[in-house]
Amino acid sequence: MPNDTTLLLELDGVSVARVERLADGTRRVHLVTADEAARTCPTCGVFATRVKGSAVTRPRDLPYGESRLEFRWHKRRWFCREAGCARRAFTEQIAQIRPAPG
């Protein structure tokens, strides 16, 4: 799913919503999910249809030249309504941005 974000950051599945410059010169880049497959339950693989809420994560291992960038990924939390699935909720995810260890 090529878009300008793919070309700029070499990331598929997210788009840049806006960029702001902080007082120290850092650019904060706000990302949103652009790939509908990100709403697939990671446990059972079923597409979620009901939004639970939202979350903002801070991906840290995204390389980008010499400039200081700070990322905020605004994503949705979904309910998994598959009866046999042990997972009840999850946040959107894409392969190129790994979840924080936890």
Side-chain angles (χ1 to χ4, degrees):
M1 160 182 330
N3 61 39
D4 289 339
T5 304
T6 303
L7 294 173
L8 178 66
L9 300 174
E10 296 184 354
L11 286 175
D12 291 322
V14 293
S15 291
V16 173
R18 66 186 169 96
V19 179
E20 61 184 311
R21 187 172 298 276
L22 305 180
D24 67 358
T26 299
R27 288 175 289 160
R28 181 175 289 159
V29 180
H30 295 267
L31 304 169
V32 293
T33 308
D35 185 356
E36 284 298 313
R39 65 185 178 108
T40 303
C41 176
T43 301
C44 69
V46 171
F47 276 94
T49 57
R50 185 170 163 223
V51 175
K52 179 177 182 178
S54 62
V56 178
T57 60
R58 297 173 52 178
R60 298 180 197 277
D61 297 330
L62 302 178
Y64 185 77
E66 303 290 321
S67 300
R68 178 144 160 70
L69 295 179
E70 188 177 281
F71 294 94
R72 297 290 189 272
W73 184 8
H74 302 262
K75 50 186 174 173
R76 292 169 288 186
R77 292 185 47 76
W78 293 93
F79 284 109
C80 181
R81 299 180 69 176
E82 183 65 22
C85 185
R87 185 176 292 231
R88 294 291 165 226
F90 62 94
T91 58
E92 296 170 323
Q93 55 188 323
I94 62 170
Q96 290 179 287
I97 302 177
R98 298 187 332 191

